[in-house]
Amino acid sequence: MYTAYIKEIDSIKVILGVDTEKLDPVETQKAIKPFLSATTESKIVADKFSKIAKYTADNQTSVNQGKRLQERVSSVKFKATKDLLTSDFTSTELESLKAYNAKIDENNDLIKTIQSELPEAQKNLKLKEKELMRSKGVYFNISENETRISDEQAIDYKQKLKSIQGEKKFLTATGEIIEDYRNKTFYGKISDKWEELQVTKLNQDVDLTVYIPQEDLTEDQKSEMAIQFETDRIDNLTNEERENEIKMLKENAVQQSINMRSKLDIEGDEKALEKSRAYYQEQVNLINEKYGISEK
């Protein structure tokens, strides 16, 4: 199972990431234990361990029988078991010892065969355990900003999230990729007038057949807009604001003219005053034109 991390931005639910749902290992083992024990794979592994235990126990029995026989001969011959010779045993006793050792060797061969088969059996059991964990596993509770999704949705979401990585785009909970135009400025010409559109929300519609992103404007469009917006700004000024602006601009023109004359005087230009006055008048004419002032 998978989960999707969801965040709501301006009433739009977007997917931030996809993750596998987290199994609770303790509770899952409790839940699948009876099912796992009943599987053929589990019975095969248990049978192999049971046989290894049986053959190991048989070996210990043979070892114990051999020890008891040696101890009996040792007491008859008045020798320590480690000092016993073959000649100290009867032919029947030697046959018994030989039979015990043969049984141990036979059992060890059987144990080795079973041990060689164990890895494959245990691998199959592990695969069955994983299968049961997927179908009957117990998962941790998901957080408030998560939702369970199908395997098919997880694949789709992962591919789409990868495709928009590093871009100002979002994947919605419905699987749609949308542009994030927040903090971007657009301009559109409507009824022969440029309008500015500031996008502040993700759910704000932008008609790209009308509006142009600021960075895509041509120099001619920028120039045209600058003139229009400045005209609109001036038209919206109060009389007081208008008079104050004109006064300030003309004072700036006077100061620029003074600076110009001083520079020309220093350079020895005999027409310094004439040139500075001409410059001043030129600036005043531009100001008058800009603010629609006609001087009589």
Side-chain angles (χ1 to χ4, degrees):
M1 292 291 291
Y2 289 86
T3 63
Y5 291 94
I6 292 180
K7 181 179 181 180
E8 187 169 312
I9 304 175
D10 299 326
S11 301
I12 296 179
K13 291 182 178 180
V14 299
I15 296 171
L16 301 181
V18 174
D19 198 0
T20 53
E21 197 170 357
K22 300 298 186 295
L23 279 170
D24 183 329
V26 176
E27 293 303 318
T28 293
Q29 287 301 322
K30 290 180 184 177
I32 70 172
K33 186 176 180 180
F35 298 99
L36 188 62
S37 299
T39 62
T40 301
E41 291 81 359
S42 180
K43 290 176 181 178
I44 290 174
V45 171
D47 179 64
K48 291 186 182 300
F49 277 113
S50 176
K51 286 179 179 178
I52 289 175
K54 176 183 176 299
Y55 294 140
T56 301
D58 283 351
N59 282 350
Q60 190 59 50
T61 298
S62 295
V63 169
N64 292 338
Q65 288 173 330
K67 283 184 178 179
R68 285 195 296 270
L69 190 154
Q70 289 176 332
E71 287 171 354
R72 188 167 60 248
V73 173
S74 174
S75 63
V76 171
K77 298 295 181 178
F78 300 102
K79 288 183 179 181
T81 55
K82 65 182 181 62
D83 296 328
L84 290 174
L85 302 174
T86 303
S87 58
D88 293 326
F89 294 89
T90 67
S91 59
T92 303
E93 290 170 335
L94 288 173
E95 284 298 322
S96 295
L97 287 175
K98 184 178 179 182
Y100 297 149
N101 290 330
K103 185 64 175 175
I104 291 172
D105 290 340
E106 180 185 352
N107 285 343
N108 284 339
D109 288 340
L110 290 171
I111 289 172
K112 285 180 181 179
T113 299
I114 295 171
Q115 286 176 332
S116 69
E117 298 168 347
L118 258 178
E120 183 66 22
Q122 288 175 316
K123 176 185 176 182
N124 293 335
L125 178 59
K126 196 67 179 177
L127 290 174
K128 178 59 68 173
E129 181 184 26
K130 288 182 178 179
E131 182 183 317
L132 288 171
M133 287 173 71
R134 285 194 295 270
S135 61
K136 301 183 182 298
V138 179
Y139 293 88
F140 287 113
N141 292 330
I142 60 176
S143 63
E144 292 181 359
N145 64 335
E146 284 183 275
T147 185
R148 290 185 174 90
I149 57 175
S150 66
D151 291 358
E152 293 76 15
Q153 284 177 308
I155 293 171
D156 181 50
Y157 290 168
K158 283 182 177 180
Q159 290 175 341
K160 288 178 178 177
L161 286 171
K162 185 177 180 180
S163 71
I164 62 175
Q165 191 173 8
E167 299 183 36
K168 289 200 71 176
K169 295 179 181 179
F170 279 111
L171 174 63
T172 69
T174 58
E176 178 189 3
I177 294 176
I178 60 173
E179 297 279 350
D180 180 10
Y181 291 133
R182 290 175 300 168
N183 302 317
K184 287 192 71 171
T185 303
F186 293 81
Y187 294 93
K189 200 170 188 180
I190 302 171
S191 299
D192 289 329
K193 286 204 69 176
W194 286 99
E195 290 186 6
E196 181 181 282
L197 175 64
Q198 294 276 355
V199 180
T200 58
K201 294 185 177 181
L202 187 61
N203 60 0
Q204 192 170 342
D205 289 331
V206 180
D207 187 350
L208 295 179
T209 63
V210 176
Y211 289 95
I212 305 168
Q214 186 176 32
E215 61 271 19
D216 293 340
L217 291 170
T218 66
E219 291 303 317
D220 288 342
Q221 288 171 329
K222 291 177 183 178
S223 177
E224 184 182 338
M225 276 192 296
I227 293 171
Q228 178 199 306
F229 289 158
E230 181 63 5
T231 300
D232 291 343
R233 186 189 70 80
I234 292 172
D235 289 343
N236 291 322
L237 291 174
T238 65
N239 288 334
E240 183 180 357
E241 290 171 338
R242 181 185 175 88
E243 290 174 3
N244 287 338
E245 274 196 18
I246 293 170
K247 181 181 178 181
M248 180 187 68
L249 291 172
K250 287 186 176 181
E251 287 176 351
N252 288 341
V254 170
Q255 188 59 53
Q256 290 171 5
S257 298
I258 292 172
N259 294 339
M260 180 180 179
R261 180 183 177 184
S262 298
K263 181 176 181 297
L264 293 173
D265 279 337
I266 293 172
E267 292 175 350
D269 192 326
E270 295 179 356
K271 295 185 178 182
L273 179 58
E274 180 182 343
K275 290 179 179 179
S276 61
R277 281 179 175 173
Y279 173 79
Y280 171 74
Q281 190 58 53
E282 179 184 343
Q283 296 303 307
V284 169
N285 291 340
L286 290 173
I287 294 169
N288 289 341
E289 181 182 352
K290 179 176 179 179
Y291 289 86
I293 300 171
S294 57
E295 292 191 347
K296 299 179 182 179

